[in-house]
Amino acid sequence: MSKLAILGARIIDPANRLDDIGDVLVEDGKIAGLGRAVFADGLAEDIKTIDANGLILSPGLIDMRVVTGEPGAEHKETLASAGIAAAAGGVTSMVVMPQTNPVIDDISLVDYIMRRGRETSPVKVYAAGALTKGLNNTDMTELGMMAEAGAVMFSNGENAIADTQLMRRIMAYSSTFNALIAHRAYDPYLSKGTCAHESEFASRRGLPAAPALSERIMAERDMALVELTGARYLLDMVSSAETLPAITRAKKRGLDVNVSVSINHLALNELDIGDYRSFAKLDPPLRGEDDRLALLAAVNDGTIDIIVSAHDPRPSGEKRRPFAESAAGAVGLELLLSAGLTLVADEQLDILALLKAVTSNPADLLGLPQGRLNIGAPADLVLINPNTPWVCDADTLSSISRNTPFDERKMQGKAVMTICDGVVVFEDGVG
Amino acid sequence: MHNAHSIIGFSARHLLSVTDLNRIDIDLLLSLGESYLDLSVQKDSKNSVLAGKTLVNLFFENSTRTEKSFELAARRLGAHVINMSIAQSSTSKGETLLDTAATLNAMSPDLLVIRHGASGAPALLAQKVSCAVINAGDGTHEHPTQALLDALCLQQALAQDGRQLDGIRIAICGDIMHSRVARSNIHLLKQLGCEVRLIGPPTLLPTDADRWGVEVFNDMKTGLEGCDAVMMLRLQIERMGGAFVPSKREYFHFYGLDREKLDYARDGAFVMHPGPMNRGVEISSDIADDPEISLVTKQVEAGVAMRMAILYALSLQGGNT
């Protein structure tokens, strides 16, 4: 019987709309008590205590979009290194995307990811199965058998499925298993060969660019297919203001539509590309400030359900190239929470909306018991100091790859202790 | 002459669809078919009720079983039979269906059996020829003689336990979307008072099938509950590779009939399959070959008897009694 007491924390639990000072008792990896009166009769002597001293205690974060290099490109990131980065960022559950080598398109790969996650990662690892075999955009995968094997969702990686008949069948077929279908919304023809958001900025820089409309066109198509098929759908990483009304309409009509956004698109805009900084080359591309503000508002009002790190490790050899030739993507597991807290400190993002989008909303969507502070739920917790100012230094990140557009940026707030199943997996200066 | 009186009241001129038949027609065909199940009746040369008549088998799609079944039925009734496989004949020379019809009409057949890849082709032909037309399968529309032989076969199997078709629950499983057998069976079985269920993945179910007076399921476990009979359908190989279902393996896992799934149905439920079967895809071999529950071979036997009944009934409609 291992016991842990966290005393005097500001407990924020979006699932239960709780924001109050109190204590938490953890027993055998589960939450056993919570509130002001848990230790009214005093503390047992054998119990380990942590004095939170007013720090925020939240459910550990659930990151629904993590690309790793395992299997196939372990020089970029392993499940172990990603797990360490996650723990350092307050993330206690991560969903691994299928764009590995080989692609996660078979039950044996789903099984491999889950097993390697258990064996090597300090935090929980879940697998997203591919929608098409080898991400080939033509043949549906064994969605049902992968779901039975434990895949928590399905995705086609960065590839959009242009074939509407195929997408219709995938959605219809998956509805039997109530599987969650995540899809990157962009028109592959409109976006082909581009590396930036179509705007005056991109024009001036001479960067081949795709209009935001590319995203909206595919989103509108997908919503129509959801209506036809009754699928559970996740619009994977919305990036433009133009797409948001389509989402609002779909939700009003009662469709099972959810939307995620990457932390990068909430914190940065196209001007962060500056003088062709390829570390700010992302997919979808960074867009205008109007887009960023609209995305923030959509998180605050609940139109956007999920915030993801969009963790995508790239060795510097893939990034230190001319902008158009550079790989897109940034690591984010370690920065998701801090970048979000920085937006909270800047009064751009509501803290409850932020935490909801990284705890209870993803948990509900994936059908996981964590992400909430219920009695009996897994003790996946993060202690947060929201006030620590610090400067991001890419060289100190835990990931094997350290490609981040936040390098040298001033941040405010960070995880100071991360607990997964009652075990402290990260600690940085709690008194 | 064998029971000519028993088909007085038969109303259909052609058999293009199960909907061409009213309940009286269906009962007449089932009872006539039942009498032909007796091989001594079937092979009795005195029953040559089609003597002097000509049947043309006009097959635009390759089919061995159905064509031979019609041929045998017609010969046992004393008819002349001409088999025309157009798949490798006139259409490749540019002749249209209506050209073929005109040519055939000039030969004055009495019965024309047609299989065609396009839904509605037999109906078009029926407008242009002066003999009775029998649909032996058109596109994804209907295969009415298969439905009638299935009903005869199942009726006989149920009768062993003193039961009848009226009131039983039957599940049709698999690729309903592309199945003409399913469409004919749904209509016929409902006419006969059966409760019909459809089970398949959403990608293989026709749109709005729930409006056909059937219950639609995506899950074998709930769909098969309480079923007295299970009718499995063939899944074409080309539909297993990721377009409609991801793989053979996944299809069999969720929709292939094995002992475990059959246990969801009623004890002693009968299993049917129109053939040819994909063993290990839609049906496991041990079920297909189990004489206690599988009616697959009996379906073939019933095929000849039922087609004899159909040919006889339709031949009288020409006014040549």
Side-chain angles (χ1 to χ4, degrees):
Chain A
M1 290 277 282
S2 68
K3 290 187 182 182
L4 179 68
I6 301 162
L7 305 174
R10 177 186 167 196
I11 302 171
I12 302 185
D13 180 20
N16 295 302
R17 304 188 65 78
L18 175 73
D19 184 352
D20 197 8
I21 300 293
D23 308 327
V24 171
L25 172 64
V26 174
E27 249 180 58
D28 293 329
K30 302 255 193 301
I31 294 167
L34 173 140
R36 287 175 184 267
V38 183
F39 301 108
D41 300 332
L43 278 162
E45 282 190 9
D46 61 333
I47 203 165
K48 183 187 172 190
T49 62
I50 294 163
D51 194 354
N53 209 7
L55 295 175
I56 292 171
L57 182 74
S58 154
L61 275 57
I62 300 171
D63 187 350
M64 286 181 66
R65 200 182 210 285
V66 175
V67 174
T68 77
E70 185 173 351
E74 285 81 357
H75 64 289
K76 294 182 183 179
E77 189 84 291
T78 60
L79 291 172
S81 67
I84 292 166
V91 174
T92 50
S93 298
M94 56 182 181
V95 181
V96 171
M97 292 294 106
Q99 53 268 45
T100 46
N101 185 13
V103 168
I104 308 175
D105 62 358
D106 187 277
I107 47 175
S108 60
L109 269 298
V110 171
D111 191 61
Y112 174 83
I113 295 291
M114 290 166 58
R115 184 167 51 76
R116 286 290 289 170
R118 277 194 305 275
E119 287 170 359
T120 67
S121 163
V123 305
K124 292 169 181 161
V125 174
Y126 298 90
L131 289 174
T132 57
K133 293 170 186 167
L135 300 175
N136 68 1
N137 285 7
T138 52
D139 302 312
M140 194 195 318
T141 52
E142 295 171 327
L143 301 173
M145 293 177 80
M146 283 196 283
E148 281 190 351
V152 290
M153 59 186 267
F154 296 91
S155 149
N156 210 43
E158 313 304 335
N159 295 0
I161 296 174
D163 181 340
T164 307
Q165 178 70 283
L166 175 65
M167 194 58 171
R168 177 206 176 156
R169 288 187 183 141
I170 287 173
M171 284 193 186
Y173 188 77
S174 70
S175 65
T176 308
F177 312 103
N178 207 26
L180 179 65
I181 302 299
H183 191 225
R184 282 288 314 278
Y186 64 90
D187 181 313
Y189 303 103
L190 264 180
S191 294
K192 190 176 179 187
T194 64
C195 64
H197 167 60
E198 190 171 291
S199 68
E200 187 274 333
F201 173 81
S203 297
R204 190 153 35 87
R205 285 283 187 269
L207 294 173
L213 189 71
S214 174
E215 178 177 276
R216 178 182 150 200
I217 286 171
M218 189 57 90
E220 298 265 22
R221 182 204 76 169
D222 282 358
M223 307 289 173
L225 288 176
V226 170
E227 189 158 21
L228 179 69
T229 59
R232 284 179 72 217
Y233 177 77
L234 173 68
L235 199 164
D236 185 17
M237 298 200 293
V238 69
S239 63
S240 83
E242 191 160 343
T243 308
L244 296 172
I247 295 162
T248 307
R249 274 200 306 280
K251 288 191 168 191
K252 268 191 187 145
R253 287 212 299 278
L255 304 183
D256 198 346
V257 164
N258 295 274
V259 187
S260 68
V261 65
S262 94
I263 190 65
N264 303 314
H265 289 83
L266 294 176
L268 308 170
N269 67 26
E270 60 181 349
L271 299 180
D272 288 293
I273 294 168
D275 213 5
Y276 305 101
R277 285 186 65 214
S278 59
F279 284 83
K281 180 176 174 182
L282 303 173
D283 179 20
L286 288 172
R287 299 199 188 271
E289 177 66 359
D290 289 350
D291 290 296
R292 189 184 77 87
L293 293 176
L295 295 173
L296 280 165
V299 173
N300 285 327
D301 71 18
T303 304
I304 293 175
D305 308 271
I306 310 285
I307 304 174
V308 296
S309 72
H311 187 80
D312 191 358
R314 300 284 181 170
S316 59
E318 288 183 27
K319 291 300 276 188
R320 295 193 187 282
R321 294 183 183 191
F323 192 87
E325 295 169 19
S326 152
V331 293
L333 273 167
E334 212 166 335
L335 301 171
L336 166 62
L337 178 62
S338 288
L341 291 168
T342 306
L343 291 166
V344 171
D346 289 346
E347 296 183 345
Q348 297 188 21
L349 191 56
D350 175 64
I351 188 156
L352 212 61
L354 165 66
L355 291 178
K356 195 174 178 193
V358 291
T359 61
S360 60
N361 278 356
D364 290 346
L365 205 51
L366 299 169
L368 301 176
Q370 62 265 35
R372 69 203 76 228
L373 301 182
N374 292 355
I375 304 295
D380 294 357
L381 305 166
V382 56
L383 264 179
I384 298 166
N385 185 338
N387 302 317
T388 321
W390 61 288
V391 177
C392 178
D393 177 1
D395 291 341
T396 64
L397 293 176
S398 311
S399 288
I400 294 176
S401 298
R402 289 160 179 177
N403 49 306
T404 173
F406 290 101
D407 191 26
E408 297 178 8
R409 272 178 87 100
K410 288 177 185 152
M411 314 283 265
Q412 182 163 340
K414 65 194 305 183
V416 291
M417 179 181 282
T418 306
I419 296 168
C420 188
D421 284 330
V423 176
V424 176
V425 292
F426 170 77
E427 189 173 357
D428 177 24
V430 187
Chain B
M1 194 95 173
H2 167 70
N3 56 7
H5 64 280
S6 71
I7 50 170
I8 290 168
F10 188 79
S11 70
R13 173 161 162 65
H14 303 290
L15 183 54
L16 304 173
S17 156
V18 168
T19 57
D20 290 341
L21 306 175
N22 59 36
R23 182 61 196 261
I24 295 167
D25 298 334
I26 295 167
D27 288 341
L28 284 170
L29 288 176
L30 286 173
S31 98
L32 188 55
E34 188 180 350
S35 71
Y36 279 127
L37 277 173
D38 182 342
L39 278 181
S40 64
V41 175
Q42 200 178 104
K43 293 190 171 177
D44 184 352
S45 56
K46 285 187 296 236
N47 280 336
S48 298
V49 291
L50 296 187
K53 301 204 173 189
T54 305
L55 176 140
V56 176
N57 265 332
L58 184 58
F59 276 62
F60 289 86
E61 282 184 347
N62 291 327
S63 158
T64 314
R65 324 169 137 241
T66 308
E67 186 182 306
K68 294 301 164 208
S69 178
F70 270 107
E71 182 175 351
L72 190 57
R75 287 197 194 282
R76 284 190 174 157
L77 292 172
H80 299 290
V81 178
I82 299 169
N83 290 322
M84 296 181 69
S85 291
I86 310 287
Q88 58 270 26
S89 178
S90 302
T91 39
S92 56
K93 297 174 192 160
E95 189 174 85
T96 69
L97 180 62
L98 292 183
D99 294 337
T100 309
T103 309
L104 285 171
N105 215 23
M107 299 177 192
S108 303
D110 301 283
L111 293 153
L112 187 56
V113 176
I114 174 176
R115 168 168 289 190
H116 199 283
S119 302
L124 179 64
L125 199 68
Q127 292 168 15
K128 301 292 171 187
V129 295
S130 43
C131 63
V133 176
I134 298 157
N135 178 3
D138 63 330
T140 55
H141 173 227
E142 281 223 33
H143 193 351
T145 63
Q146 178 73 42
L148 284 161
L149 75 86
D150 286 342
L152 175 62
C153 179
L154 186 55
Q155 186 185 55
Q156 294 302 112
L158 290 165
Q160 306 267 325
D161 305 332
R163 299 161 68 202
Q164 52 185 7
L165 284 167
D166 192 8
I168 68 153
R169 177 182 289 176
I170 179 164
I172 304 176
C173 311
D175 185 0
I176 317 274
M177 179 187 273
H178 302 98
S179 175
R180 49 199 180 206
V181 174
R183 283 170 180 76
S184 288
N185 261 308
I186 290 164
H187 191 83
L188 186 69
L189 291 167
K190 281 177 53 61
Q191 281 260 7
L192 291 167
C194 302
E195 179 193 334
V196 180
R197 294 177 159 198
L198 307 181
I199 312 174
T203 42
L204 294 176
L205 286 166
T207 303
D208 293 338
D210 54 334
R211 294 197 203 160
W212 295 350
V214 296
E215 266 198 282
V216 178
F217 296 83
N218 297 134
D219 169 44
M220 292 285 267
K221 186 171 184 174
T222 49
L224 288 180
E225 199 185 329
C227 283
D228 303 277
V230 185
M231 189 178 287
M232 301 307 297
L233 299 173
R234 178 179 172 78
L235 181 65
Q236 303 281 358
I237 306 274
E238 62 269 22
R239 296 186 181 125
M240 298 175 205
F244 291 90
V245 295
S247 66
K248 274 189 212 177
R249 176 170 77 162
E250 174 146 324
Y251 188 74
F252 186 75
H253 181 71
F254 289 105
Y255 297 101
L257 193 66
D258 53 14
R259 294 279 170 187
E260 188 190 335
K261 295 196 194 74
L262 188 58
D263 279 347
Y264 303 137
R266 221 180 104 136
D267 265 359
F270 294 112
V271 175
M272 307 176 77
H273 193 299
M277 290 181 285
N278 287 310
R279 292 164 184 268
V281 177
E282 68 258 355
I283 191 165
S284 73
S285 277
D286 74 310
I287 287 181
D289 298 335
D290 182 344
E292 293 291 308
I293 51 173
S294 169
L295 301 181
V296 175
T297 317
K298 293 216 157 62
Q299 283 173 276
V300 181
E301 291 169 22
V304 178
M306 181 44 84
R307 287 180 177 119
M308 288 174 77
I310 293 163
L311 294 177
Y312 180 34
L314 285 172
S315 73
L316 296 179
Q317 289 311 105
N320 309 328
T321 11

